[in-house]
């Protein structure tokens, strides 16, 4: 990176939806980088993942509302195709990923090495979430919300509202 270029970091993910754990990582990244873009991947076909609950547009809207409400200086976008190509288009040389437990490591290691193979000049940086968010994931939050459990400590308020709306509607229908 040239000494004069501003530092742009891409924080990619499914964010279906953003949780307090993700927000913690964005906040930490925004303290280190001039510009952080929370990038929602669209059109990925990962067999380990369920069909998305929220559309990419809904996910971006929730991220934008969350960042504004939390006063975190970062913004949201969507991307399709290879992450490294998106990084090139945005002029970013850094990919941020959050690490929770050891169980994340193998998947993250594989992804970071694949990205390095594709684009050796792009670095993946791992930020550790705070201890209170170690167990948190979008899937767990969706499961709790679907079963009517309390999610206010797990997700930002705009997400809590949308999850409640989504599941009350599906219960009514
Ligand atoms: O939050 P997730 O679902 O663990 O995020 C995974 C994501 C979206 C970062 C990853 O699947 C991705 O980068 N997809 C874009 C396609 C790509 O570049 N694949 C090659 C590297 S694994």
């Amino acid at each position: 990176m040239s000494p004069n270029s501003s530092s742009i970091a891409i924080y990619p993910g499914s964010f279906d939806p953003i949780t307090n754990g993700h927000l913690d990582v964005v906040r930490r990244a925004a303290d280190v980088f001039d510009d952080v873009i929370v990038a929602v991947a669209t059109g990925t076909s990962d067999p380990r993942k369920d069909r998305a609950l929220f559309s990419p547009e809904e996910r971006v809207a929730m991220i934008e509302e969350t960042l504004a409400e939390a006063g975190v200086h970062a913004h949201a976008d969507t991307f399709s195709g290879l992450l490294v190509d998106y990084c090139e288009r945005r002029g970013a040389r850094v990919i941020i990923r959050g690490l929770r437990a050891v169980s994340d490591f193998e998947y993250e290691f594989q992804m970071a090495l694949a990205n390095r193979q594709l684009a050796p000049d792009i670095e993946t940086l791992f930020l550790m979430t705070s201890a209170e968010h170690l167990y948190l994931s979008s899937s767990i939050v969706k499961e709790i919300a679907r079963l009517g459990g309390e999610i206010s400590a797990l997700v930002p308020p705009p997400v809590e509202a949308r999850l409640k709306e989504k599941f009350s509607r599906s219960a009514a229908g």
Side-chain angles (χ1 to χ4, degrees):
M1 202 185 302
S2 89
N4 295 325
S5 67
S6 71
S7 58
I8 305 172
I10 306 288
Y11 178 32
S14 306
F15 303 109
D16 184 44
I18 186 169
T19 67
N20 284 344
H22 294 130
L23 179 58
D24 179 54
V25 171
V26 190
R27 202 190 296 275
R28 289 170 197 281
D31 281 346
V32 178
F33 293 93
D34 296 329
D35 195 5
V36 176
I37 303 168
V38 183
V40 175
T42 66
T44 53
S45 57
D46 186 336
R48 288 167 301 188
K49 306 250 157 74
D50 298 336
R51 224 185 105 246
L53 178 65
F54 293 102
S55 70
E57 294 72 27
E58 287 177 304
R59 287 182 256 165
V60 165
M62 282 186 281
I63 293 167
E64 280 170 348
E65 284 169 43
T66 296
L67 295 173
E69 207 177 272
V72 175
H73 180 68
H75 36 271
D77 193 9
T78 57
F79 76 100
S80 59
L82 284 177
L83 172 60
V84 291
D85 290 343
Y86 176 73
C87 291
E88 306 272 358
R89 287 201 296 281
R90 299 303 304 246
R93 304 277 297 276
V94 174
I95 295 168
I96 300 287
R97 292 288 290 173
L99 267 188
R100 293 165 302 185
V102 180
S103 53
D104 283 344
F105 186 75
E106 201 175 320
Y107 169 58
E108 293 298 335
F109 188 64
Q110 203 178 19
M111 207 154 59
L113 289 181
N115 285 328
R116 179 177 288 167
Q117 174 73 31
L118 292 165
D121 57 339
I122 295 177
E123 286 297 339
T124 301
L125 290 188
F126 294 101
L127 296 182
M128 270 193 64
T129 48
S130 62
E132 70 201 272
H133 300 126
L134 279 183
Y135 67 95
L136 203 52
S137 72
S138 299
S139 312
I140 282 186
V141 165
K142 283 184 281 191
E143 173 83 353
I144 296 172
R146 188 172 61 80
L147 298 171
E150 184 55 51
I151 51 168
S152 59
L154 312 180
V155 290
V159 177
E160 182 186 1
R162 304 248 183 156
L163 277 170
K164 285 188 171 156
E165 194 192 350
K166 194 70 104 179
F167 286 115
S168 69
R169 214 186 288 153
S170 62

